[in-house]
Amino acid sequence: MLAVLLAIHVLAVTLWVGGMFFAHFMLRPSVMDPALNLGLESRVLLWSQVLQRFVRVVWVIVLLLPVTGYTMIIFYLGGLSAQPLHVHLMQGTAWIMIALFVHLYTGPFRRMQWMVKQLLIPEAGLYLGRIRTVVTVNMTIGMVTVVLATAGRYWL
Ligand code: HEM
């Protein structure tokens, strides 16, 4: 069972951090490429669709990560007090990532979707910029967390 929980945990992490990486480093520059000649409206509508799908998956992930993580800790790894430093650090940064995601969803994401429904495209574009900032921060914390969670045991 520990192996199953760890597998779900690591898959969830991969999809979340990998998804943010793909959006930031592949999709965004492609959408902005002058060769595609996408206007603000097309870009905003595209991101609205992409993010709608991505946030649904991330909601499942932000539930799965603490559930699988704390189940491993409590039932298989000797409880919280028995955890090495890198697991405590992983938990800490994980809660920052989850809080940032909840902020992103309840704030800029929902406002952007509302603006898109009202066809207020430039206003929606402003919220898209805020979403990008939060995603950049969360992607960076996510990468640091993956390094801590895996390599951390060898130097902490
Ligand atoms: C509250 C949330 C979380 C808890 C309670 C938690 C807890 C755990 C635990 C107990 C393990 C197994 C450690 C071991 O086998 O020594 C683990 C593994 C792992 N966690 Fe988390 N975790 C959380 C969130 C995250 C997040 C947000 C990330 C990355 C963005 C992450 C990345 C990883 C990775 C990559 C492993 C595999 C480590 C390995 O086996 O080498 N975790 N986590």
Side-chain angles (χ1 to χ4, degrees):
M1 190 60 185
L2 176 63
V4 173
L5 289 166
L6 188 58
I8 295 170
H9 192 84
V10 173
L11 269 177
V13 164
T14 308
L15 296 181
W16 191 6
V17 180
M20 291 191 286
F21 184 88
F22 174 79
H24 189 74
F25 285 111
M26 279 79 191
L27 192 52
R28 181 167 180 267
S30 306
V31 166
M32 298 296 284
D33 193 324
L36 287 184
N37 200 20
L38 292 179
L40 179 66
E41 182 166 353
S42 310
R43 281 188 274 129
V44 166
L45 294 180
L46 174 71
W47 278 114
S48 165
Q49 292 281 324
V50 169
L51 291 170
Q52 177 74 53
R53 287 170 173 79
F54 189 54
V55 294
R56 271 191 220 134
V57 174
V58 178
W59 271 118
V60 178
I61 290 172
V62 298
L63 290 177
L64 278 178
L65 282 178
V67 168
T68 52
Y70 290 120
T71 306
M72 287 190 278
I73 290 174
I74 293 163
F75 295 104
Y76 299 96
L77 301 172
L80 264 181
S81 54
Q83 296 313 302
L85 182 58
H86 73 275
V87 173
H88 289 300
L89 292 174
M90 172 182 8
Q91 275 179 78
T93 53
W95 283 114
I96 296 171
M97 288 179 72
I98 292 169
L100 280 172
F101 171 72
V102 172
H103 159 74
L104 178 149
Y105 182 85
T106 53
F109 172 74
R110 289 217 333 214
R111 289 196 188 108
M112 184 191 86
Q113 296 298 65
W114 191 82
M115 296 296 174
V116 167
K117 273 204 189 103
Q118 309 300 313
L119 290 175
L120 297 168
I121 300 301
E123 290 79 358
L126 288 179
Y127 287 113
L128 191 54
R130 292 190 199 165
I131 292 172
R132 185 184 352 118
T133 308
V134 180
V135 169
T136 308
V137 172
N138 236 4
M139 179 188 65
T140 310
I141 303 175
M143 287 175 175
V144 171
T145 308
V146 169
V147 172
L148 281 175
T150 52
R153 77 194 59 190
Y154 299 111
W155 78 77
L156 290 173

